[in-house]
Amino acid sequence: MSTAALLLGALPAAAQGGAAGGALPSLGEAGEMTPLAERKLGDAIARELYRDPDYIDDPVIGEYVDGVWRALLAGARTRGELPPELDERFAWQVFLGRDRSINAFALPGGYFGLNLGLVGVVRTRDELASVLGHEMSHVTQRHIARLLGQQSRQTPLLIAAMVAGAIAASKNPQAGAALAVGGQAAIAQQQLNFSRDMEREADRVGYAVMSQAGFAPQGFVSMFQKLQTAARVDDNGDWPYLRSHPLTTQRIADMQQRVQALHLPPEGTDWETVLVAARARVLSRPGVDVLRAWAGEPAQPDFARQPLAQRAGALYAAALARAELRELPPRRRWPSGWPR
Ligand SMILES: [Zn+2]
């Protein structure tokens, strides 16, 4: 069966806005897409993503993200934020995208996209947990189901955009694949425009879930600060996350209230994240010039004066950049007295 037909297979349930035969008990209000219909739609999108070479399966970053993700899922279960029906029916799977832009997004059916660009700017597991907890909460709170249910008239357009991307992909595997992902990302960001209330709810629930899972609230605060700083300087669209999750003054006020009572100890160095973030930056294909610059970074005169964590990340990035450039390192010079 063709891709277009598979995608269209999800159409009737989606277009009916939740009346998927009535075989399943509905979780929420009328007008919400049922979990089954949402999962079907998500599966159709996931099939495309699996095929896409820009969604990567890197064992190191994958295991790191998976560890954070599993802890969040466990936290959501403990807090009762993950209803058993959704737990069972949805995929709860994160796709790692090679894209350099800073973004993470929730897709229907418990699928999530996480760009290497975002992994490349986090400093701690807690920061990543704050973003993933927020995205997870858009799904557990049925925000996507509500949007798709409410916008049932627009849903055929949404499906059509995906079909167009899928057809282009099947005609021209290289150009088409990029188009398909672009189309899906556009859907995630434009069609699924969460309301301000939904954003605040995802902040509140996500914060509770990450705290339950044992992540430090500092991560929530520092990620927010990072987004605020980026919002002031981002003119070239490197932070699509900001467009889909605008930092309203209400969200900022909520966040400040949440952490006011906390006395936050200074953050320690999260070595694993330092290295994973360096790896994500290199694997996001920043281009030959940037890779060369990173490969040469440890040889810069001021390198030794940088903080230790920064140097560790830069050394790892340099080694990986050389591998990407297929440059063999210069012949090793062992310090005298070292075993050979
Ligand atoms: Zn959001």
Side-chain angles (χ1 to χ4, degrees):
M1 183 179 278
S2 77
T3 304
L6 282 171
L7 284 164
L8 286 167
L11 179 59
Q16 286 158 25
L24 283 167
S26 176
L27 274 182
E29 317 139 34
E32 247 182 40
M33 187 182 260
T34 64
L36 182 62
E38 192 187 330
R39 175 67 197 261
K40 273 188 183 165
L41 185 57
D43 284 347
I45 297 170
R47 256 178 241 127
E48 293 309 305
L49 295 184
Y50 270 127
R51 256 200 281 263
D52 192 308
D54 278 337
Y55 278 80
I56 64 163
D57 183 17
D58 180 70
V60 177
I61 303 174
E63 196 182 309
Y64 170 86
V65 170
D66 200 45
V68 172
W69 185 243
R70 272 183 286 119
L72 288 169
L73 281 173
R77 282 184 200 110
T78 308
R79 279 193 65 85
E81 297 290 357
L82 182 49
E85 189 189 354
L86 288 190
D87 198 354
E88 198 180 312
R89 287 201 186 278
F90 280 8
W92 305 112
Q93 190 186 341
V94 181
F95 284 98
L96 210 51
R98 206 184 274 278
D99 202 315
R100 285 196 301 283
S101 62
I102 288 137
N103 206 6
F105 47 90
L107 293 165
Y111 293 100
F112 300 82
L114 173 63
N115 286 359
L116 287 186
L118 194 145
V119 180
V121 298
V122 296
R123 275 190 310 134
T124 61
R125 282 161 58 88
D126 314 305
E127 286 185 352
L128 184 64
S130 76
V131 170
L132 292 179
H134 175 104
E135 294 307 318
M136 178 189 283
S137 302
H138 276 312
V139 177
T140 60
Q141 302 307 113
R142 314 267 16 241
H143 293 166
I144 289 183
R146 264 186 269 163
L147 286 179
L148 291 174
Q150 278 164 12
Q151 304 178 345
S152 55
R153 286 205 186 127
Q154 286 177 39
T155 304
L157 283 178
L158 181 144
I159 305 289
M162 285 192 290
V163 172
I167 291 170
S170 67
K171 280 183 186 154
N172 181 348
Q174 279 173 345
L179 192 69
V181 171
Q184 282 146 12
I187 287 159
Q189 282 153 29
Q190 288 158 25
Q191 294 286 337
L192 300 183
N193 236 336
F194 297 120
S195 71
R196 289 173 170 216
D197 284 345
M198 286 174 173
E199 288 304 332
R200 291 176 68 192
E201 187 174 51
D203 280 343
R204 180 176 58 75
V205 175
Y207 180 78
V209 164
M210 77 172 273
S211 306
Q212 175 74 47
F215 294 102
Q218 287 98 316
F220 192 87
V221 180
S222 57
M223 197 66 210
F224 239 91
Q225 284 164 345
K226 210 168 275 188
L227 290 168
Q228 273 182 283
T229 310
R232 284 194 288 270
V233 298
D234 180 47
D235 337 315
N236 52 4
D238 284 343
W239 291 70
Y241 192 75
L242 282 166
R243 281 200 301 281
S244 52
H245 300 79
L247 287 178
T248 58
T249 44
Q250 265 304 333
R251 287 185 70 197
I252 293 165
D254 285 353
M255 187 276 294
Q256 280 162 349
Q257 208 169 32
R258 227 169 262 135
V259 297
Q260 223 167 25
L262 298 168
H263 296 283
L264 302 176
E267 276 180 303
T269 300
D270 179 344
W271 292 101
E272 189 188 12
T273 301
V274 166
L275 299 180
V276 165
R279 185 179 181 89
R281 289 195 292 275
V282 173
L283 294 188
S284 71
R285 293 204 186 120
V288 172
D289 291 343
V290 175
L291 287 177
R292 289 221 171 99
W294 288 345
E297 171 85 15
Q300 294 300 310
D302 60 346
F303 184 70
R305 283 197 295 277
Q306 290 176 12
L308 193 57
Q310 207 172 316
R311 272 185 281 158
L315 282 168
Y316 186 44
L320 290 173
R322 286 202 165 161
E324 288 285 300
L325 291 164
R326 310 219 185 280
E327 279 176 12
L328 293 169
R331 213 174 135 237
R332 268 171 219 234
R333 268 170 284 140
W334 291 92
S336 56
W338 279 39
R340 284 169 190 252

